[in-house]
Every structure is written in C-alpha cells, then in structure tokens.
Amino acid sequence: MSQSSRFVRSLEGFIFASRWLQLPLYLGLIVAQAVYVYLFWVELSHLVAETPRLTEEKIMLLVLGLIDVVMISNRLIMVIVGGYETFVSRLGLSGHPDEPDWLSHVNANVLKVKLATAIIGISSIHLLRTFIEASNLGTASARITSEGVMWQAIIHALFIVSAIGIAYVDRLTQQKH
C-alpha cells in the first residue's frame, strides 16, 4: 500500500469518525426533551389546580398548550432517534418489541417530511389558539391584533406550501432511485 493511499484511508476514517461530533447535539436534544416533560407537568398541575376557577375557553387553551408540548416532544424523539440512527450509528433495536415502525425506513428525507408535517400540526394548534382568542379582538384584554391573526394565517399557509414542496421533491427523488 502506497503512502498516499494510506493517507487517503486515514483521512476517510477520520471523516467517517467525525459523525460522532453529532452525539453532543442529540444529548442536548434529550435535555430539551426533559425540559418539555417538566413544562408539561407544570402546565398540567396548573390546569388541575385551577379547574374550578377556569372558563371552558381557558381550559381549552391550556389543553391545547399541553397538546402542543406533546407534539413538540414527539418530534424531538423522532429527530433524536431517527437522526442518531441515520447520521451517527445504528441503535441495534432490530427485533426489540418497542422498536418504532418508522425507524426501519427512516432517512434524512423522511425526517424532513415528518418534521415539516409536525410543524404544520404545531402551527395549527397555535392558529386555533389565536382563533379562540380572536373573540377578544378590539377589547382591552386582547393579546392579539387582527393583523397578527392575518400574519399567523399566512405563515401557516406558507408552512403547508413548504411541506407540500418538500414531500413533492422527496417523491421525485424516490422515483428516480
């Protein structure tokens, strides 16, 4: 083996090993997941403690907040597990009874499409909360403006268009292979 081919093999090994630099990022996302678990329990305890004094609208807004936290948390798990499996190392879960179905066919494109659809779901919850709060428009207690509602709806529509574009490009690349 020549000196240059040994150098190239060493360089390739080093480049391949650099994938482990992703590990601290995934560990950080696990910490973020723990923060969301804490936030969920704080919000749930607030909902339970305050239920007798809350209106149906306030309860609905708090429950939507809990759903929002769960959806974000679900996507965190998807990114942590799927990203680690795709970019760092196999998890060795084959045959494990709790192995997620989606993990067997996850790749970077699948993660992008799933994340885009999750963003739409999360945006939908925020938009629904805005529409519920829109009954207060024009009052002193209004936390939103009609212009804010409009921009939130436009941004939500752009998320939908973006997700469709990502899914379409993914479909085109799947057909070529």
Side-chain angles (χ1 to χ4, degrees), residues 118-129 131 152 156 160:
I119 289 169
I120 291 169
I122 293 163
S123 175
S124 296
I125 289 173
H126 284 264
L127 194 56
L128 180 57
R129 290 171 84 179
F131 289 156
Q152 195 170 350
H156 180 73
I160 292 170

Side-chain angles (χ1 to χ4, degrees), residues 62-138:
L62 284 168
V63 169
L64 285 173
L66 292 174
I67 293 169
D68 192 29
V69 169
V70 169
M71 288 182 70
I72 291 171
S73 185
N74 288 343
R75 294 310 162 221
L76 269 171
I77 288 296
M78 184 189 68
V79 169
I80 292 165
V81 173
Y84 182 88
E85 173 95 6
T86 301
F87 299 110
V88 180
S89 182
R90 298 280 178 227
L91 291 170
L93 297 176
S94 184
H96 192 283
D98 293 331
E99 179 185 10
D101 291 335
W102 54 266
L103 192 56
S104 63
H105 57 274
V106 73
N107 60 41
N109 288 336
V110 169
L111 284 174
K112 279 190 281 188
V113 171
K114 286 188 178 295
L115 199 54
T117 55
I119 289 169
I120 291 169
I122 293 163
S123 175
S124 296
I125 289 173
H126 284 264
L127 194 56
L128 180 57
R129 290 171 84 179
T130 298
F131 289 156
I132 290 168
E133 292 177 7
S135 63
N136 295 329
L137 278 175

Side-chain angles (χ1 to χ4, degrees), residues 151-168:
W151 279 110
Q152 195 170 350
I154 289 170
I155 291 168
H156 180 73
L158 289 173
F159 284 152
I160 292 170
V161 170
S162 297
I164 290 169
I166 290 169
Y168 180 71

